[in-house]
Amino acid sequence: MAQPDSKKIFFENLSGAGKAIAVLTSGGDAQGMNAAVRAVVRMGLYVGAKVYFIHEGYQGMVDGGDNIREATWESVSSMLQVGGTVIGSARCKEFRTHEGRLKAAHNLVQRGITNLCVIGGDGSLTGANLFREEWSGLLTELVEQGLIEEDAIQKYSALHIVGMVGSIDNDFCGTDMTIGTDSALHRIIEVVDAIMTTAQSHQRTFVLEVMGRHCGYLALVSALACGADWVLIPEMPPEDGWEEKMCQKLSTRSRGTRLNIIIVAEGAIDRHGKPITSSFVKDLVVKCLGFDTRVTILGHVQRGGTPSAFDRILASRMGVEAVLALLETTANTPACVVSLCGNQSVRLPLMECVQMTQEVQKAMDQKRFEEAVKLRGRSFENNLKTYKLLAHRKPETELNFNVAVLNVGAPAAGMNAAVRSAVRVGISEGHKMFAVSDGFEGFYKGQIKEIKWADVGGWTGQGGSLLGTKRTLPAKHVDKIAEQMRMHNINALLVIGGFEVPLGSALQAFESLLQLYEARATYEEFCIPMCMLPATISNNVPGTDLSIGADTALNAIVETCDRIKQSASGTKRRVFIIETMGGYCGYLASVGGLAAGADAAYIFEEPFDIRDLQANVEHLTEKMKTSIQRGLVLRNENCNDNYTTDFIYQLYSEEGRGVFDSRKNVLGHMQQGGAPSPFDRNFGTKISAKAMQWITKKLTETFRQGRVFANTEDSCCLLGMRRRALVFQPVVQLKGETDFVHRIPKEQWWLKLRPLMKILAKYKTSYDVSDSGQLEHVVRNRPKESDASVAM
């Protein structure tokens, strides 16, 4: 069937009237489950369906009664920031029996429920699929037993299942991230950062045991995010003799550092399947090296606490996608699971994902470890490759190119992780690495020095920019910069920075690289490979969906909004007006608003007038009269010259008089500071490693007759994340995608999340589902990795 020319299909065409949707959480709990439940309930109600909670997972479905209750809009208020699952989760042996499933079917049919949204792990989802396959037979049995009328078989002929994976282990194939994984990484990194200070005080070695009985994702990514000396995971057991190699490495490292970190997944094994425990590793280090060694077992701390911004956004997007999938499903549609690939929602057949997840364990049991890593997916495999690149120093080769790295623009959390990765991968590739202090200002002043492997130790968890960064315009000093490049024989350049709002003549990394590209016509010194990595809290760099630093800023906003809302608990009704940073880019206000449960977010990209403000106030007034106690309104700092934060605060104060009072907060530079989040550490580390490999390739290709000469468009690139892949894009080609006046891309993917935030805040709006996930199949034969497109 031909697609409409507009390519826009709105959810109004997918009415849920007459449908009943039930949502349950099963298996282990995970932070973000409540955000998913909230999204399912509100989206379900929004499209006109009846929505039910099933309390205590499958046990509640079997027991019925008050365990299955109809949900209202208000029943999911104030649960977005709560960890765990407020509707409860329980293991249920009875549901594994035919009799148990018969009881469950009876309880669902009594309420007319034929659509299930299951949030859990592979066991929970497998159980749901079996239930779906048996459904018609179960109804026939119920008719035979006289428990339901015969016409119920026709009326409730098919059970539709959509799954969302809630698991901190990230052990489900088919999705890059499961709900709860990012929050668990936050807990681990908080502990590691705290341990590092005490370990340095006493020159200690710490062995950390993290969760992951069958999957080493948490151990691997936390090792990347904190720069651990050694990591042990079940998918890639160490080679025989690893004990000696590890102790040798720790012994070497101890000369230049005051601490060592070893991370052990609870399911870690050696090549013969023998468990490697944290206590064994500790005893080994003490026996062989005599180091003061401590063991920390994190345990269920990793499951607890409030969900991160990433998990709230992921769960909200997945919850809405799950409802859309249920509305679109037919009797012939297989049970699907809503997944994340790169930055895009996809729907995959549930059993294909389950089967591949089981294949991973089978491959590990049969000691086919390389295959197990590949089956885990591109995200896991790339994490492992990056860790190996950074953790184990290679013998230096004879390439000896000189590569300079510098930070440009405003500081962003994760910049230091990117610099560390660049330096170590560059040295491993055989280059001599140079650090430029204070951006292009330091460049033309000659603040350039060689930086060694050990110089960047411990940089991963540091906020801000240790190299220093300035907002200097390179074009004004291009002759001096060219002279410094000649003096130091710089053969390639890695620029880490953003595209901030101009202050006077200040331009940032993106435009700086464009100017250096244009200077090639005059100065041959710039005819070298140049690459930019996007690093800015504003997330306003053209050519990439995400920038280093934006996730940390979002977490700062969400955490502060949680505290601000909590400050009003027990008081009279109150609305908070919060101003975020971001220049003219509304990313932080919009996505932060979605993660914090905001009622409105005012941004430059979506013009508004006094009528819109009045409508928002009236909408909030109505909600305050009936249910909610606290309101949250975010405003991007440059959204409008006249409707300032003060103006909006005064408007809400006046119009809400007698119903609610108002408070205002300007978050300011707290959004730019702090330790980088696990996502930003990992993202900065991986894209920087990928950029250095690209630079090596370009250096080799353009080295002719004793010199490097690169003057083509594709030798001056930005490395960005586009939907599902990391892509190198010539900066000159991105000029057409850029609004230089306001320092924003002309098209921004996150604007599609705006209606989602409004829907969850009970506004009537159109939601374009043309970009929603389509049913795909799990990719088994992975494409060859190329420089043009590499998945996260």
Side-chain angles (χ1 to χ4, degrees):
M1 188 175 74
Q3 290 293 318
D5 290 339
S6 67
K7 292 187 179 177
K8 285 198 171 183
I9 308 164
F10 295 99
F11 79 85
E12 285 95 332
N13 301 324
L14 300 168
S15 172
K19 293 196 174 186
I21 299 171
V23 57
L24 71 147
T25 53
S26 179
D29 65 307
Q31 308 98 318
M33 278 184 166
N34 289 325
V37 170
R38 171 180 177 267
V40 169
V41 169
R42 291 195 167 177
M43 190 64 178
L45 293 173
Y46 201 80
V47 298
K50 272 190 173 184
V51 185
Y52 291 85
F53 291 133
I54 299 179
H55 291 264
E56 309 306 331
Y58 287 118
Q59 190 66 56
M61 195 190 296
V62 171
D63 294 342
D66 286 343
N67 288 306
I68 305 176
R69 298 178 215 161
E70 192 169 346
T72 65
W73 194 275
E74 290 75 24
S75 59
V76 291
S77 294
S78 303
M79 66 189 291
L80 188 62
Q81 67 272 22
V82 180
T85 167
V86 298
I87 61 173
S89 180
R91 313 282 180 188
C92 181
K93 290 182 179 178
E94 197 173 354
F95 188 76
R96 295 177 186 175
T97 68
H98 183 79
E99 292 73 19
R101 293 191 290 277
L102 191 66
K103 287 182 186 177
H106 185 218
N107 288 326
L108 294 187
V109 169
Q110 283 182 314
R111 295 163 179 81
I113 298 169
T114 56
N115 297 278
L116 272 186
C117 182
V118 181
I119 308 167
D122 61 332
S124 304
L125 299 178
T126 303
N129 190 64
L130 176 62
F131 190 39
R132 171 184 167 274
E133 289 173 347
E134 291 182 348
W135 181 257
S136 59
L138 294 171
L139 294 196
T140 303
E141 281 188 56
L142 290 171
V143 169
E144 290 170 355
Q145 293 177 18
L147 294 172
I148 61 173
E149 298 296 327
E150 195 164 341
D151 63 348
I153 294 180
Q154 187 66 32
K155 191 175 179 182
Y156 307 117
S157 59
L159 178 68
H160 306 298
I161 303 285
V162 172
M164 284 183 278
V165 190
S167 165
I168 68 165
D169 291 337
N170 203 29
D171 57 354
F172 193 81
C173 292
T175 185
D176 286 350
M177 288 287 274
T178 56
I179 296 168
T181 303
D182 187 70
S183 300
L185 285 170
H186 273 259
R187 301 294 93 78
I188 294 168
I189 295 305
E190 285 166 11
V191 171
V192 172
D193 285 351
I195 277 175
M196 278 184 162
T197 56
T198 184
Q200 286 177 326
S201 302
H202 297 278
Q203 279 192 286
R204 279 182 177 152
T205 294
F206 267 88
V207 181
L208 266 77
E209 183 182 302
V210 302
M211 281 186 166
R213 198 177 308 124
H214 304 294
C215 179
Y217 185 89
L218 289 179
L220 178 58
V221 175
S222 55
L224 260 180
C226 71
D229 299 276
W230 203 269
V231 64
L232 294 158
I233 59 173
E235 291 89 348
M236 189 52 65
E239 300 289 346
D240 290 344
W242 65 272
E243 298 92 340
E244 186 180 336
K245 289 179 183 176
M246 184 186 75
C247 290
Q248 187 179 1
K249 183 183 178 187
L250 295 180
S251 176
T252 305
R253 288 290 297 274
S254 67
R255 297 171 197 162
T257 184
R258 293 181 62 83
L259 79 154
N260 296 112
I261 299 284
I262 302 165
I263 296 183
V264 183
E266 63 179 333
I269 54 173
D270 64 17
R271 288 273 157 177
H272 308 288
K274 182 183 175 184
I276 301 175
T277 64
S278 50
S279 58
F280 174 81
V281 175
K282 175 205 168 182
D283 293 342
L284 179 68
V285 174
V286 171
K287 179 183 175 183
C288 296
L289 300 174
F291 290 173
D292 187 3
T293 307
R294 298 286 189 274
V295 171
T296 300
I297 299 173
L298 270 64
H300 282 73
V301 165
Q302 297 156 88
R303 283 196 193 278
T306 60
S308 66
F310 183 97
D311 272 330
R312 297 185 198 195
I313 296 157
L314 174 66
S316 298
R317 289 175 70 183
M318 296 299 100
V320 168
E321 187 69 39
V323 172
L324 293 176
L326 285 171
L327 294 182
E328 293 172 4
T329 193
T330 66
N332 298 321
T333 307
C336 76
V337 61
V338 180
S339 300
L340 181 75
C341 184
N343 192 35
Q344 190 176 8
S345 298
V346 295
R347 300 175 196 169
L348 297 170
L350 191 154
M351 290 314 295
E352 285 188 21
C353 296
V354 169
Q355 284 160 12
M356 186 173 281
T357 304
Q358 292 169 349
E359 283 179 31
V360 176
Q361 189 59 50
K362 188 176 178 182
M364 288 163 59
D365 291 341
Q366 295 175 356
K367 299 183 173 54
R368 293 181 282 115
F369 298 112
E370 295 284 350
E371 186 180 338
V373 169
K374 288 186 182 299
L375 287 168
R376 278 279 180 232
R378 291 180 295 174
S379 175
F380 189 94
E381 191 175 10
N382 285 334
N383 278 315
L384 187 57
K385 284 180 180 176
T386 306
Y387 178 79
K388 287 178 177 178
L389 266 177
L390 295 168
H392 306 290
R393 186 171 179 175
K394 297 178 187 174
E396 293 186 13
T397 63
E398 296 300 315
L399 284 172
N400 286 327
F401 288 115
N402 293 349
V403 180
V405 58
L406 69 158
N407 293 338
V408 177
M415 275 183 164
N416 296 320
V419 172
R420 170 187 176 269
S421 178
V423 169
R424 293 198 167 177
V425 173
I427 291 171
S428 292
E429 298 279 334
H431 309 313
K432 189 179 283 188
M433 298 299 296
F434 288 84
V436 181
S437 300
D438 297 334
F440 284 106
E441 183 176 314
F443 213 140
Y444 82 78
K445 289 179 178 178
Q447 294 171 213
I448 305 166
K449 65 177 183 179
E450 187 179 354
I451 187 165
K452 300 289 186 70
W453 184 280
D455 295 336
V456 292
W459 279 34
T460 311
Q462 298 290 318
S465 166
L466 293 173
L467 288 184
T469 179
K470 293 284 179 71
R471 300 170 183 260
T472 304
L473 180 67
K476 289 185 177 181
H477 309 283
V478 72
D479 54 339
K480 292 180 181 177
I481 293 171
E483 183 183 342
Q484 290 295 334
M485 292 182 76
R486 193 165 50 250
M487 284 173 57
H488 291 88
N489 189 28
I490 301 298
N491 306 121
L493 199 60
L494 180 65
V495 180
I496 303 168
F499 191 43
E500 303 304 316
V501 175
L503 299 176
S505 61
L507 297 174
Q508 273 52 58
F510 178 71
E511 195 159 352
S512 298
L513 215 60
L514 274 173
Q515 292 181 350
L516 295 184
Y517 173 81
E518 288 160 4
R520 284 176 168 179
T522 311
Y523 298 94
E524 284 193 355
E525 287 80 5
F526 300 115
C527 293
I528 58 172
M530 294 186 282
C531 185
M532 174 191 164
L533 301 181
T536 167
I537 68 166
S538 304
N539 200 32
N540 62 334
V541 179
T544 186
D545 290 352
L546 299 170
S547 299
I548 300 165
D551 183 73
T552 305
L554 274 179
N555 277 288
I557 291 167
V558 169
E559 185 180 334
T560 307
C561 287
D562 285 350
R563 292 185 180 186
I564 286 170
K565 286 198 293 184
Q566 192 180 51
S567 72
S569 62
T571 66
K572 61 182 178 179
R573 293 180 172 90
R574 184 166 288 168
V575 174
F576 295 96
I577 318 296
I578 313 288
E579 181 184 302
T580 68
M581 293 174 79
Y584 287 98
C585 180
Y587 176 82
L588 291 179
S590 293
V591 182
L594 176 61
D599 296 280
Y602 300 116
I603 62 170
F604 170 78
E605 293 91 342
E606 196 173 281
F608 59 96
D609 57 24
I610 194 67
R611 288 177 292 277
D612 297 312
L613 290 169
Q614 183 65 29
N616 292 153
V617 173
E618 290 172 357
H619 180 79
L620 202 47
T621 302
E622 283 303 308
K623 285 170 69 176
M624 285 284 187
K625 286 177 180 177
T626 57
S627 57
I628 67 167
Q629 299 291 315
R630 299 180 293 280
L632 186 66
V633 175
L634 271 62
R635 178 189 177 275
N636 173 237
E637 59 183 348
N638 288 341
C639 66
N640 191 290
D641 290 337
N642 297 311
Y643 299 135
T644 62
T645 302
D646 283 336
F647 178 91
I648 292 173
Y649 160 68
Q650 289 166 3
L651 175 70
Y652 273 76
S653 296
E654 180 61 32
E655 295 299 318
R657 193 185 299 273
V659 180
F660 60 82
D661 64 358
S662 302
R663 296 288 186 273
K664 65 175 178 177
N665 289 268
V666 178
L667 301 186
H669 283 77
M670 64 162 290
Q671 297 158 83
Q672 215 166 45
S677 68
F679 182 92
D680 278 331
R681 299 184 195 199
N682 187 245
F683 186 49
T685 297
K686 284 203 286 191
I687 66 169
S688 190
K690 187 56 59 182
M692 285 307 302
Q693 290 175 320
W694 177 86
I695 283 174
T696 298
K697 184 171 181 285
K698 289 294 178 187
L699 283 169
T700 307
E701 289 174 355
T702 58
F703 185 69
R704 299 288 182 275
Q705 298 176 341
R707 59 171 291 197
V708 173
F709 186 82
N711 65 347
T712 56
E713 287 183 1
D714 67 353
S715 62
C716 182
C717 283
L718 177 142
L719 174 56
M721 185 181 184
R722 282 281 177 97
R723 293 170 75 86
R724 302 191 187 193
L726 287 175
V727 185
F728 290 93
Q729 303 147 100
V731 290
V732 70
Q733 292 180 14
L734 294 173
K735 285 175 71 174
E737 300 180 22
T738 308
D739 175 354
F740 281 92
V741 175
H742 299 103
R743 293 293 192 275
I744 54 175
K746 290 179 180 176
E747 290 189 12
Q748 302 188 84
W749 69 272
W750 53 265
L751 285 170
K752 291 182 179 179
L753 300 180
R754 295 272 300 168
L756 195 155
M757 183 194 75
K758 293 177 182 178
I759 286 169
L760 297 179
K762 213 174 183 178
Y763 283 89
K764 288 292 179 187
T765 187
S766 291
Y767 183 57
D768 179 7
V769 299
S770 59
D771 196 43
S772 66
Q774 301 301 315
L775 192 64
E776 302 179 11
H777 291 282
V778 178
V779 177
R780 289 173 181 271
N781 298 320
R782 298 173 60 255
K784 287 186 178 178
E785 200 172 89
S786 70
D787 290 305
S789 175
V790 181
M792 273 287 287

